Amino acid sequence: MTLELTECTYSYRRWRPAVLQDLSYSLPSGLTILLGPNGAGKTTMLKLAAGVVQPNNGEVKLDSLTSRDRRFRQHVAWMPQSVVAMPSLSSREYVAYVGWLKGMSRQAAWEKAAQALTRVEMLEHEDVKTSRLSGGQLRRVGVAAALVHEAEILLLDEPTAGMDPRQRRVFRDVLKELSGEVGILMSTHDVADLAEESDHVAVMQAGRLAFAGSTADFLAHAPAEVAPGRMAEAAYTALSESYAL
Amino acid sequence: MSMWWWMKARRTHSVVLSGLAISLLLSLTIGSEEVELPSLVSGMQQAVLTMFVPIPLVAALMVSLESRLPGIEASSVRRVGGWDALLVSATVGFWFALAAVSGSGVVAASARNAAFLAGLMLLARPWVGEAAVMVPVAWTMVVVAFNRRPAPDPEPWTILPEPASAPHAALAAAVLFGIGISSVMFISKDKS
């Protein structure tokens, strides 16, 4: 399935300036990293792609389904930037609730919740109330919630923020596993850690796409003398300067 | 029960039932009492407590509705807004049912006030979020401050001090409640 945004314009209130302006983008298969400075419109783009908000102009489509269609939502998973703890729900109930919201039966959601928690190494905390989890643990539950209904498109808004290095490693292994099966669009400020492991990179600036292409094309913006481990950062800096990000 | 997790997420057992119990208890025990409160237009004014007893319930409803997963619920396949509307309607409906069973005019007036204030709050919620819980409180304060005539014959715009038999108050409550419920069902709360 192909997720496509066509000439999307969006503002949170009609009288406010548009956060996204005539944005067109087609999500390729594999892992795509979405970069850009704060306020560039990354979160809004992900919200549009997830069907959380609808564009004022333009359309978001997944093959023949538009984002206004409820069936669209079944194929798209979304992890918001801030994962909200629910004091009344345990980790497993939280993940299962998200699966149920996405249309799964109660039993299927319950079973898949255990599998998703296992994937992010959180099964041992399945009975712990989400309000008692640390910030990093809560984000892993958020990742599990995005994985539970096995969507074809995964949209992740800064999923690694607040994770310690080991948790990031686990998360990157999960992404690697998934990137062969689904299309992933993930916003991050973690350029150095993740960009070199991605298949594609998109860079946003002031509500528009400043760059979209393969990781190799992105890294080609790095100056020749840069050490291999720092290429992603150097490429982003070079792009930032050329597009005045 | 398929919506079990939704009920747990909304804390219906703890928050909504507690709010309903407190409001009903107040309505049955002190609802018919009057207190003297300062008014901006007529010195001291007698205010009936039926005006205030729905406040714990509407506050509990707001806590419950805001106990949600922003974004995720907005992109949900299931119609969570419909469940939320059902929760609010069932809660207020229970109060009306109790009023019908008890035959008490005070309980009926406070049930009507609950519908009116809940409608006001739900109407403001898409624009101001959780802060909408202050709208019913603000309306009540405005009535206390600017109503020139005490119950049972208050100025018609006030709604809250009106007796249960006042048709325009019933109509206003029904209309506002209907609009509020529609906003719960159809307007996204994730425009932030």
Side-chain angles (χ1 to χ4, degrees):
Chain A
M1 295 187 110
T2 306
L3 180 73
E4 202 150 359
L5 288 82
T6 309
E7 295 180 359
C8 287
T9 297
Y10 184 79
S11 81
Y12 283 93
R13 298 277 182 234
R14 293 268 177 187
W15 59 87
R16 285 194 197 159
V19 181
L20 296 181
Q21 194 73 52
D22 296 325
L23 181 82
S24 293
Y25 180 67
S26 178
L27 180 68
S29 59
L31 172 60
T32 302
I33 299 293
L34 182 60
L35 303 173
N38 289 333
K42 302 188 295 295
T43 294
T44 306
M45 180 180 173
L46 289 168
K47 279 184 173 180
L48 274 181
V52 175
V53 294
Q54 299 297 329
N56 304 128
N57 290 310
E59 64 176 2
V60 181
K61 285 183 91 171
L62 190 62
D63 291 347
S64 61
L65 299 171
T66 75
S67 58
R68 294 181 193 278
D69 192 322
R70 282 192 178 262
R71 285 173 301 161
F72 172 98
R73 300 171 175 184
Q74 244 166 344
H75 302 285
V76 178
W78 140 264
M79 178 192 169
Q81 196 172 34
S82 110
V83 179
V84 177
M86 302 289 273
S88 50
L89 296 181
S90 70
S91 302
R92 188 167 176 184
E93 286 172 332
Y94 186 105
V95 177
Y97 176 50
V98 175
W100 178 79
L101 287 172
K102 285 291 188 180
M104 299 174 83
S105 70
R106 191 163 184 252
Q107 193 183 344
W110 187 245
E111 284 163 11
K112 291 287 181 186
Q115 291 174 22
L117 285 169
T118 304
R119 250 182 153 160
V120 296
E121 297 189 348
M122 279 296 289
L123 192 62
E124 62 192 282
H125 300 288
E126 65 172 331
D127 294 324
V128 178
K129 296 288 183 202
T130 50
S131 52
R132 305 194 68 161
L133 297 173
S134 70
Q137 288 172 330
L138 187 59
R139 292 202 79 72
R140 283 150 71 196
V141 170
V143 173
L147 301 178
V148 67
H149 76 290
E150 298 174 342
E152 285 91 343
I153 304 290
L154 205 50
L155 304 163
L156 307 167
D157 198 355
E158 297 191 25
T160 53
M163 286 186 188
D164 64 35
R166 195 190 119 65
Q167 290 166 359
R168 283 177 192 226
R169 184 70 259 166
V170 170
F171 176 70
R172 277 149 66 179
D173 289 344
V174 171
L175 281 186
K176 239 182 226 170
E177 253 178 70
L178 286 169
S179 62
E181 307 159 22
V182 300
I184 306 170
L185 181 60
M186 182 176 94
S187 77
T188 183
H189 287 291
D190 211 348
V191 185
D193 265 13
L194 287 158
E196 289 177 34
E197 294 183 12
S198 65
D199 302 303
H200 303 273
V201 175
V203 181
M204 291 201 69
Q205 178 211 4
R208 295 171 191 270
L209 269 180
F211 173 87
S214 68
T215 304
D217 288 343
F218 171 73
L219 294 176
H221 285 81
E225 69 275 12
V226 172
R230 311 210 52 181
M231 281 182 72
E233 255 177 4
Y236 180 68
T237 307
L239 264 169
S240 304
E241 283 163 4
S242 63
Y243 289 94
L245 295 185
Chain B
M1 197 163 30
S2 66
M3 77 276 204
W4 174 248
W5 292 315
W6 167 81
M7 288 173 71
K8 279 193 88 174
R10 291 291 184 274
R11 297 192 271 173
T12 52
H13 310 66
S14 50
V15 173
V16 179
L17 285 183
S18 304
L20 183 62
I22 292 168
S23 281
L24 283 176
L25 196 66
L26 291 174
S27 174
L28 290 165
T29 52
I30 58 166
S32 58
E33 303 288 323
E34 291 187 4
V35 288
E36 206 166 62
L37 292 172
S39 163
L40 291 179
V41 290
S42 58
M44 296 303 279
Q45 179 82 268
Q46 291 293 115
V48 285
L49 288 180
T50 47
M51 284 171 50
F52 303 97
V53 293
I55 300 284
L57 175 64
V58 293
L61 284 173
M62 179 56 89
V63 171
S64 174
L65 295 178
E66 287 299 316
S67 179
R68 65 193 175 95
L69 298 176
I72 293 174
E73 290 186 7
S75 61
S76 160
V77 173
R78 297 190 191 270
R79 296 181 189 276
V80 184
W83 290 107
D84 287 343
L86 187 66
L87 170 67
V88 177
S89 304
T91 309
V92 175
F94 181 80
W95 200 333
F96 276 108
L98 192 75
V101 169
S102 68
S104 159
V106 171
V107 179
S110 51
R112 179 209 59 211
N113 289 347
F116 178 80
L117 294 175
L120 262 185
M121 179 181 76
L122 297 176
L123 195 59
R125 184 170 166 245
W127 286 273
V128 296
E130 274 179 276
V133 75
M134 293 311 294
V135 174
V137 178
W139 182 269
T140 310
M141 292 299 116
V142 166
V143 170
V144 170
F146 295 103
N147 177 32
R148 291 166 198 273
R149 302 198 308 248
D153 183 30
E155 292 183 7
W157 63 268
T158 56
I159 306 296
L160 302 179
E162 294 279 6
S165 55
H168 78 279
L171 183 67
V175 169
L176 258 185
F177 189 71
I179 297 172
I181 286 292
S182 303
S183 84
V184 172
M185 291 175 76
F186 301 116
I187 301 179
S188 168
K189 263 66 68 184
D190 288 287
K191 287 198 155 208
S192 55

